[in-house]
Amino acid sequence: LVADGTEGLSRGDADLQFLLQGGDLLKVRSTSWKKTRFFKLQEDCKTMWHESKKTFKTNQTFSVDEISGVRMGRQSEGLRKYTEEQVEGRCFSIMFKGRRKNLDLIASSEEEARKWVNSLEKIISNLNNLTCQQKTEHWIYSCLRKADKNKDDKLSQSEVQNFFRLINLDVDDDYAEMLFKKCDKSKSGYLAGEEIEHFYDLLTHREEIDVIYGEYAKTTGFMSSENLVEFLLKEQREKATLADAHKIIEKCEPDENVKQKKLLSKDGFLMYVHHPEAWILNPVHKDVYQDMSQPLNHYFISSSHNTYLMEDQLKGPSSTEAYIRALLKGCRCVELDCWDGDDDEPVIYHGYTFTSKILFKDTIKAIKEYAFKTSDYPVILSLENHCSVKQQEVMAHHMSTILGSALITAPLGDGMPTEFPSPEELKGKFLIKGKRLNKLEATFATKAAAADDTDVTEEEESNDEEEKEEKKKKLKLAKELSDMVIYCKSVHFHGFEDARQNLSFYEMSSFKEGKAMKLAEESANAYIRHNVEKLSRIYPAGSRTDSSNYNPVPLWNAGCQIVALNFQTTCTDMDLNLGRFVVNGKSGYILKPAYMRDIATEFDPITLTRGDWLKHKTLHVMVISAHQLPKVNKKKSSIVDPLVKVQVHGVPADVAEKETNAVDNNGFNPSWNENFQFDVYVPDLALVRFVVEDYDSTSDNEFVGQYTLPLSSLKMGYRHVPLLNKNGDLLPSAGLFVHIMVIDAE
């Protein structure tokens, strides 16, 4: 049984050999805790193993799949805090998905550190590039290896039962015995070689795929190119030609002889169904496909609240890593809570709480490095400024020197602008959101009108009584910092009428979620019109000390652009945010529909009077099956009882949820074949969410996985739905199989 993480890499690859051989690294936990550990890649090429020289603890392993990135140098808080600058080139960190702490390591030389980083990056990238079919096989083979307790490359009947448990399939003893006997052609009492392959084939058999394939494979048991075109046109509702069919065969057919005849076998068809281009998300929408030349406030903008926090709002750690994670998820508006620090160095933390502190300059460096890795479009730095004038000058200096020409410090073009520039014009740029001493217009006055006063009132978020006191005081503002605020000047909100008459386009307000929800419910049309001209930022209530979130959908429905959520918290609200921004190249910018960009719009998501927005559609969803759902409960005997919920989130009239029955004891290949129908009146604003849960009759169901995407990005026909875990990472082998149809209802 040879299946490991090396498809695409030869065993002789120098980087792979380096990892398989392993070596000593210094693990860093504090100034005094620095210990040598031996690290190596295990033979499966997918698991890293490390041991202590003294205790020889050999049970410490982690999967390469769990690594989110490898960072060269002293980039983590731990390394910056606990190591000296001179070891910079020898340091590196391994970052993990989810909440697992990163590993801070020091190699014996700079060359060795580079070798570790390059080799790890190579194997991670190789694993990420495996096809779905290879991942399925990986998963099966690694389970087969685990089940083969005595490592004799044979499986006894008890080892087969053990295997079923590992793949999350509760097989009744009679069925297991029948399957075993069917495969044990040699009557030896165990499976070996080809018998294991036969056993594997029986397990991966997908009846629902066979049925669809059989309908269209009209040429001697194979699908011809013409049959495939017919399937694509009729079932998948795609404008397909013979050339498209040939491309699919070229890409998906594993048998070279069949491929040469331009035919598609059943295995090839299964490969096609699992190919990302045939998934439920329209592949055209994976890249930037919207007009990016509209004014900035005409887009929904992926936004984070208290970005520096890794956990809760009262005592959790602050970290530059939290900024990196949010930016890599495509977030385009991050928040910086700035306070006076020691040695005239401003710090970021949640004021009046026990959350830890990080240096402002370290945060700006991390933001600079990671801002444009996922998206090229502009990043807004939302400053909540509690610093003295002296330290504000330091903030301005750091932003100016670290961000350099990428920082917008003057309006684009000549003269006083009358509207926002577009995301396209602002590519690779940073905008500062904060207080300003005067109107932007003043800088264009004939005489350089100096600010009347260096006092402005602080009216940012207030989370407790002390901050409310702070709010009443006059806050001194440094001119250097004030001058950096160009397109996002923070002002108080005194009603829509006041804003229309007295505020310039670049003057924007922040709304606490409660106030914003009230406006979105009671004055939705006025809010939408306000947001045609200005930006609005919404933030969670101060009472959410556990970093919980609120539902962003009603606020998007009211045209609010910067709906800030706690990115560090896993919840439905965050799933919806990721689903809203999963399209348009994960750019973090989604163009609002035309009727939300028109100052005279009559659109109201609550009353839904007639207009361009009413495009009544019927969404038909057939939940057919799922495969390889992970165990929720890690107990050996526990098997998932899965059910699927299909939800629509959008304007109130469109919000709905339907669910299947639960399938008992089968996470490996449960099937439902249940049909649901939804009426959707404003499809432009609708999101569709698929949720898989483990049914529990005595308590709340447990979350298994989910996937959310805009209704307008759904592909029709038979589709694979990938599933994401709580943290938004792809579950490598799991998925749903559904049939989708969206038709005009009128």
Side-chain angles (χ1 to χ4, degrees):
L1 284 176
V2 183
D4 53 36
T6 59
E7 283 90 338
L9 286 183
S10 78
R11 276 274 174 174
D13 181 275
D15 290 323
L16 186 59
Q17 279 307 316
F18 172 77
L19 292 175
L20 286 166
Q21 203 175 322
D24 285 339
L25 290 166
L26 200 60
K27 183 173 167 183
V28 179
R29 277 201 190 147
S30 69
T31 317
S32 55
W33 199 103
K34 295 188 178 86
K35 296 187 180 176
T36 303
R37 293 286 180 263
F38 181 74
F39 283 80
K40 79 186 280 288
L41 183 66
Q42 289 192 314
E43 282 303 310
D44 66 357
C45 298
K46 296 207 311 286
T47 314
M48 286 297 294
W49 171 75
H50 58 113
E51 68 168 9
S52 148
K53 278 284 159 66
K54 280 184 190 157
T55 57
F56 292 103
K57 272 191 206 157
T58 55
N59 58 345
Q60 292 182 296
T61 64
F62 57 87
S63 164
V64 175
D65 257 345
E66 293 169 41
I67 301 175
S68 68
V70 189
R71 311 247 165 88
M72 190 71 197
R74 294 161 67 244
Q75 286 202 47
S76 71
E77 258 93 41
L79 285 172
R80 276 202 300 271
K81 204 166 169 184
Y82 306 129
T83 63
E84 302 300 319
E85 237 168 90
Q86 57 264 35
V87 296
E88 175 80 38
R90 289 165 46 202
C91 292
F92 68 97
S93 300
I94 296 175
M95 307 303 191
F96 294 97
K97 296 169 183 172
R99 288 207 168 161
R100 181 175 178 152
K101 283 200 174 82
N102 40 305
L103 262 177
D104 290 334
L105 303 163
I106 305 178
S108 56
S109 69
E110 294 195 10
E111 189 189 351
E112 198 190 333
R114 268 196 301 277
K115 194 105 178 102
W116 276 102
V117 171
N118 294 342
S119 305
L120 282 166
E121 281 180 342
K122 187 187 244 183
I123 197 154
I124 292 163
S125 134
N126 188 65
L127 261 178
N128 289 343
N129 290 335
L130 294 182
T131 64
C132 276
Q133 188 67 14
Q134 285 170 313
K135 282 191 178 170
T136 304
E137 288 175 4
H138 258 180
W139 187 79
I140 294 272
Y141 277 121
S142 68
C143 289
L144 280 169
R145 252 203 320 280
K146 276 188 203 155
D148 181 12
K149 286 281 169 64
N150 58 1
K151 303 285 176 262
D152 61 357
D153 283 346
K154 297 170 182 172
L155 291 181
S156 67
Q157 202 165 330
S158 71
E159 285 175 332
V160 165
Q161 275 292 38
N162 192 32
F163 171 71
F164 282 140
R165 259 202 303 276
L166 285 169
I167 64 170
N168 200 7
L169 186 61
D170 187 22
V171 181
D172 123 337
D173 289 347
D174 296 341
Y175 180 59
E177 197 175 335
M178 184 186 80
L179 207 55
F180 189 87
K181 283 185 175 152
K182 211 174 187 178
C183 298
D184 181 15
K185 298 269 169 50
S186 61
K187 306 268 185 290
S188 60
Y190 54 76
L191 306 183
E194 281 182 8
E195 294 172 340
I196 291 179
E197 276 181 40
H198 181 49
F199 178 63
Y200 170 69
D201 288 341
L202 283 178
L203 279 171
T204 52
H205 172 68
R206 297 269 302 273
E207 195 173 339
E208 65 276 33
I209 302 285
D210 290 358
V211 171
I212 303 160
Y213 183 77
E215 288 268 312
Y216 288 90
K218 293 168 184 161
T219 318
T220 62
F222 288 100
M223 251 192 201
S224 68
S225 307
E226 289 79 8
N227 298 154
L228 183 53
V229 168
E230 188 191 353
F231 168 77
L232 293 170
L233 290 170
K234 202 166 142 190
E235 300 290 352
Q236 309 298 75
R237 302 294 169 105
E238 289 182 20
K239 297 184 180 80
T241 62
L242 270 177
D244 296 320
H246 293 156
K247 268 187 208 152
I248 289 172
I249 290 170
E250 189 53 44
K251 213 181 285 177
C252 301
E253 179 49 59
D255 187 327
E256 285 302 324
N257 296 331
V258 177
K259 190 188 280 189
Q260 274 170 7
K261 295 175 187 160
K262 297 210 169 10
L263 298 173
L264 192 64
S265 67
K266 201 189 294 176
D267 283 343
F269 184 66
L270 187 59
M271 297 282 269
Y272 155 73
V273 167
H274 278 277
H275 195 280
E277 280 182 23
W279 288 2
I280 192 164
L281 175 65
N282 185 342
V284 174
H285 291 190
K286 282 184 184 173
D287 300 321
V288 174
Y289 74 98
Q290 295 182 330
D291 174 7
M292 300 303 277
S293 63
Q294 297 288 323
L296 189 79
N297 65 318
H298 285 181
Y299 297 82
F300 297 123
I301 303 171
S302 181
S303 306
S304 151
H305 168 251
N306 287 357
T307 316
Y308 46 88
L309 293 179
M310 295 288 276
E311 292 168 19
D312 67 48
Q313 310 272 318
L314 296 179
K315 57 187 189 317
S318 304
S319 169
T320 54
E321 182 59 28
Y323 284 92
I324 295 171
R325 288 184 186 188
L327 291 166
L328 291 177
K329 280 183 176 170
C331 178
R332 298 291 86 188
C333 178
V334 295
E335 187 180 10
L336 298 90
D337 259 15
C338 310
W339 298 80
D340 280 358
D342 299 336
D343 306 322
D344 283 335
E345 280 295 348
V347 291
I348 290 176
Y349 83 111
H350 202 200
Y352 308 115
T353 67
F354 295 105
T355 59
S356 61
K357 299 174 182 179
I358 47 178
L359 289 179
F360 179 80
K361 68 174 175 188
D362 287 346
T363 306
I364 298 296
K365 280 179 193 162
I367 290 172
K368 169 81 166 34
E369 186 162 350
Y370 288 91
F372 305 112
K373 289 217 190 296
T374 297
S375 164
D376 297 330
Y377 291 96
V379 169
I380 300 168
L381 305 181
S382 180
L383 301 182
E384 193 175 325
N385 174 11
H386 305 274
C387 291
S388 60
V389 172
K390 190 178 180 189
Q391 292 208 13
Q392 287 174 41
E393 286 166 0
V394 177
M395 284 166 62
H397 170 75
H398 285 324
M399 288 196 287
S400 178
T401 51
I402 296 166
L403 303 178
S405 60
L407 181 63
I408 294 285
T409 53
L412 303 189
D414 302 323
M416 177 63 203
T418 53
E419 63 173 14
F420 288 96
S422 68
E424 194 59 43
E425 292 172 290
L426 292 167
K427 262 185 170 177
K429 300 292 186 190
F430 293 95
L431 302 175
I432 306 296
K433 174 196 165 293
K435 300 288 170 308
R436 210 188 138 85
L437 292 168
N438 55 4
K439 285 246 186 194
L440 191 59
E441 287 83 344
T443 57
F444 289 91
T446 41
K447 289 176 186 159
D452 304 336
D453 188 6
T454 56
D455 290 347
V456 291
T457 308
E458 164 68 11
E459 26 63 359
E460 275 293 347
E461 303 169 23
S462 49
N463 290 329
D464 61 20
E465 290 312 308
E466 272 190 77
E467 259 183 282
K468 282 175 187 160
E469 281 307 306
E470 177 84 12
K471 190 171 155 180
K472 290 173 192 162
K473 293 178 200 164
K474 292 281 190 180
L475 184 87
K476 296 277 187 184
L477 190 57
K479 185 176 185 306
E480 294 86 335
L481 193 59
S482 164
D483 287 350
M484 288 180 169
V485 176
I486 307 299
Y487 290 114
C488 303
K489 177 188 172 184
S490 302
V491 297
H492 234 336
F493 179 71
H494 297 292
F496 295 128
E497 193 52 34
D498 171 76
R500 201 166 57 78
Q501 290 184 2
N502 302 319
L503 298 182
S504 301
F505 76 92
Y506 59 84
E507 294 182 298
M508 63 174 290
S509 302
S510 285
F511 302 82
K512 193 179 283 189
E513 74 176 83
K515 177 161 190 187
M517 287 288 190
K518 198 169 185 314
L519 290 171
E521 280 167 26
E522 295 170 8
S523 324
N525 180 259
Y527 215 169
I528 289 165
R529 289 183 178 199
H530 172 82
N531 289 321
V532 171
E533 295 186 310
K534 314 228 169 24
L535 280 168
S536 288
R537 177 174 174 274
I538 320 299
Y539 60 92
S543 56
R544 293 183 182 273
T545 51
D546 58 351
S547 292
S548 60
N549 279 312
Y550 54 95
N551 181 359
V553 175
L555 300 156
W556 290 327
N557 292 345
C560 299
Q561 302 87 345
I562 302 177
V563 181
L565 296 177
N566 288 303
F567 263 58
Q568 73 275 27
T569 305
T570 56
C571 56
T572 304
D573 310 309
M574 200 55 217
D575 292 343
L576 293 173
N577 194 74
L578 289 175
R580 164 69 74 215
F581 293 102
V582 73
V583 293
N584 208 27
K586 289 192 178 168
S587 62
Y589 286 85
I590 298 291
L591 184 63
K592 294 198 257 182
Y595 48 81
M596 296 180 89
R597 294 181 268 130
D598 168 13
I599 195 60
T601 185
E602 293 297 323
F603 175 57
D604 186 317
I606 313 292
T607 59
L608 279 194
T609 48
R610 283 213 160 303
D612 296 347
W613 44 88
L614 272 188
K615 301 169 191 158
H616 187 186
K617 307 266 186 201
T618 307
L619 165 65
H620 294 272
V621 179
M622 183 184 189
V623 179
I624 302 171
S625 61
H627 46 273
Q628 296 175 37
L629 300 173
K631 280 186 172 189
V632 181
N633 189 326
K634 294 287 180 255
K635 263 199 248 134
K636 215 173 177 183
S637 58
S638 148
I639 307 283
V640 176
D641 300 330
L643 61 82
V644 179
K645 291 180 176 176
V646 184
Q647 304 167 342
V648 176
H649 297 263
V651 300
D654 291 345
V655 175
E657 175 179 283
K658 310 269 171 85
E659 69 176 67
T660 66
N661 291 308
V663 171
D664 288 343
N665 290 339
N666 184 353
F668 184 69
N669 57 0
S671 76
W672 293 275
N673 296 313
E674 292 189 42
N675 286 291
F676 302 127
Q677 186 175 317
F678 300 88
D679 281 309
V680 182
Y681 295 94
V682 186
D684 296 332
L685 294 173
L687 296 168
V688 180
R689 181 169 185 255
F690 297 89
V691 194
V692 182
E693 292 180 349
D694 179 10
Y695 173 72
D696 192 323
S697 56
T698 56
S699 63
D700 288 346
N701 295 345
E702 281 200 79
F703 175 89
V704 175
Q706 72 86 34
Y707 191 68
T708 307
L709 73 167
L711 178 84
S712 54
S713 299
L714 286 177
K715 290 283 274 183
M716 305 230 220
Y718 292 102
R719 299 292 170 185
H720 170 84
V721 181
L723 290 172
L724 308 177
N725 66 13
K726 277 197 176 106
N727 296 315
D729 300 313
L730 195 66
L731 291 168
S733 315
L736 285 176
F737 190 55
V738 299
H739 185 271
I740 301 286
M741 202 49 66
V742 182
I743 51 175
D744 291 333
E746 289 157 7

